[in-house]
Amino acid sequence: MQHPAIPMCPSAQHHLDGAEVFAVIGGSAERPEVSYLEQSFPVTPEVVAMAAPVDPAEVFRFGAPCAMSTECWHFDDTRRKCRLAIRTVRIAPVVVSKPPRCAIRSRCMWWAQEGVSACLRCPQVVTNDSAPSDSVVETADPMNLAGAAEMPNLPLQA
């Protein structure tokens, strides 16, 4: 079920309430490529089973309503911003010259917060990357405060 007032996290897990599949991951472990679907659709047990034997987030990109709270390691509750989106824009390379079509863009937290800069990096994002590069590890690390100079006093979760 969609929550129209709550932005969608484009790097969510499949088990979250309101989760939707919006892309399929292809390419290779070293160089993943995201293919966006025309429409997103709800996560079902059948969709999850299609990913077996690997984690579903290695095969699909899921969107789910943003927790917008300390329930998410990446959310800065004080600034009401997604730090993962900030780190993605600051650390990850641009991989496309124009934003790909995306079924969740109008509801996407990263789009709302970072605009086209997030979309130009999104096609390389794999939520559960089985062979992450050093830059992917740096980007995904919730303790990495990339851009902290512009966002002082970021609270860290223990």
Side-chain angles (χ1 to χ4, degrees), residues 13-16 19-21 41-60 62:
Q13 298 292 333
H14 70 279
H15 56 78
L16 297 173
E20 302 174 15
V21 176
F41 57 89
V43 175
T44 63
E46 293 80 16
V47 169
V48 173
M50 288 171 54
V54 300
D55 184 289
E58 291 180 45
V59 177
F60 300 109
F62 300 103

Side-chain angles (χ1 to χ4, degrees), residues 103-120:
I104 68 165
R105 180 172 295 127
S106 66
R107 302 176 285 146
C108 179
M109 176 67 152
W110 292 11
W111 167 256
Q113 180 180 305
E114 302 294 324
V116 70
S117 293
C119 297
L120 298 178

